[in-house]
Amino acid sequence: QQPVQSPQAVILREGEDAVINCSSSKALYSVHWYRQKHGEAPVFLMILLKGGEQKGHDKISASFNEKKQQSSLYLTASQLSYSGTYFCGTDEGDTDKLIFGTGTRLQVFP
Amino acid sequence: KAGVTQTPRYLIKTRGQQVTLSCSPISGHRSVSWYQQTPGQGLQFLFEYFSETQRNKGNFPGRFSGRQFSNSRSEMNVSTLELGDSALYLCASSRSGGRTGELFFGEGSRLTVL
């Protein structure tokens, strides 16, 4: 079951904040976040495990609400380098598959 | 440390032909996953191989197949190509599988079917 990401696209000015959401209709064991810049391979940002704590990576952090089967990625004081498409990947635990959402395109302008 | 290498990077085929894509994972990584990326669909899971065995499969028709060799290199094959198979095919390697650890993606093989 492919997770649903929202919004589909975000346009920001440098220094602004953004939140990207990822939700699933099934119970999740973990949520993974990746970023893909235009013309490049997706790059790992972080994994959030069931029962784990909120993670952070520089000014990018994420939370995982197991009860709601949702995760949110928080981008604080965005930089030009944050531009790209963000994918969440979900692991339902009963399969060994990591299923990705359709992505959220983030554009940061000066 | 060398990254994940995919070949060829670009290829053009016609409907009905078949294609084989190759992926060389990072040294020491035993898991190789394949994804199809198209605009609007995100990354669609094709299959995962671990130690030469297919461990998981996505919801793609039987025309899509793959294999993994003893050196962990992997190939995927698409037979009887259709226009809708045009996409970027990404390979990702990891030590034990993407659900437990970081996936390292290659730059992909861009397939165009005419």
Side-chain angles (χ1 to χ4, degrees):
Chain A
Q1 188 80 15
Q2 191 172 30
V4 177
Q5 288 185 234
S6 63
Q8 289 186 314
V10 184
I11 298 176
L12 299 172
R13 292 285 184 191
E14 266 187 302
E16 292 182 336
D17 301 340
V19 179
I20 299 172
N21 300 301
C22 174
S23 64
S24 174
S25 59
K26 294 195 172 186
L28 301 175
Y29 177 80
S30 65
V31 179
H32 307 227
W33 287 95
Y34 285 77
R35 176 173 63 204
Q36 183 179 30
K37 297 194 176 185
H38 185 66
E40 298 181 8
V43 173
F44 173 81
L45 291 175
M46 63 190 80
I47 292 177
L48 297 103
L49 300 176
K50 184 177 177 180
E53 298 177 353
Q54 182 166 333
K55 290 287 190 75
H57 174 73
D58 193 13
K59 292 183 180 178
I60 300 176
S61 62
S63 63
F64 178 21
N65 186 323
E66 300 159 31
K67 289 183 180 178
K68 292 186 177 181
Q69 293 122 234
Q70 291 177 348
S71 176
S72 294
L73 186 71
Y74 306 94
L75 298 104
T76 306
S78 58
Q79 306 166 17
L80 295 176
S81 61
Y82 286 4
S83 292
T85 300
Y86 289 78
F87 292 98
C88 71
T90 55
D91 163 24
E92 296 166 5
D94 57 346
T95 68
D96 289 323
K97 294 187 274 193
L98 185 62
I99 307 299
F100 286 95
T102 54
T104 295
R105 188 177 178 190
L106 182 83
Q107 291 179 283
V108 182
F109 291 95
Chain B
K1 174 171 168 179
V4 177
T5 303
Q6 290 189 245
T7 56
R9 291 292 313 281
Y10 302 91
L11 64 167
I12 300 173
K13 294 285 187 178
T14 56
R15 282 184 302 172
Q17 287 186 311
Q18 73 163 12
V19 65
T20 299
L21 309 177
S22 179
C23 172
S24 293
I26 291 172
S27 178
H29 286 190
R30 297 164 65 188
S31 169
V32 173
S33 299
W34 288 89
Y35 290 87
Q36 180 194 65
Q37 185 173 23
T38 55
Q41 293 298 314
L43 301 167
Q44 301 281 306
F45 176 78
L46 281 156
F47 26 64
E48 183 210 358
Y49 286 87
F50 184 85
S51 294
E52 302 180 66
T53 300
Q54 187 182 85
R55 193 156 68 171
N56 275 293
K57 192 176 188 302
N59 298 321
F60 278 81
R63 300 184 297 106
F64 292 81
S65 62
R67 58 178 175 169
Q68 187 180 33
F69 302 96
S70 58
N71 62 357
S72 292
R73 189 177 71 85
S74 177
E75 288 183 347
M76 68 162 281
N77 184 80
V78 188
S79 62
T80 319
L81 285 166
E82 301 176 358
L83 295 178
D85 297 334
S86 294
L88 180 66
Y89 290 88
L90 291 165
C91 155
S93 79
S94 65
R95 290 195 182 279
S96 56
R99 65 186 294 245
T100 56
E102 178 179 352
L103 287 175
F104 293 84
F105 283 87
E107 293 188 310
S109 292
R110 184 167 295 282
L111 170 66
T112 301
V113 182
L114 302 176

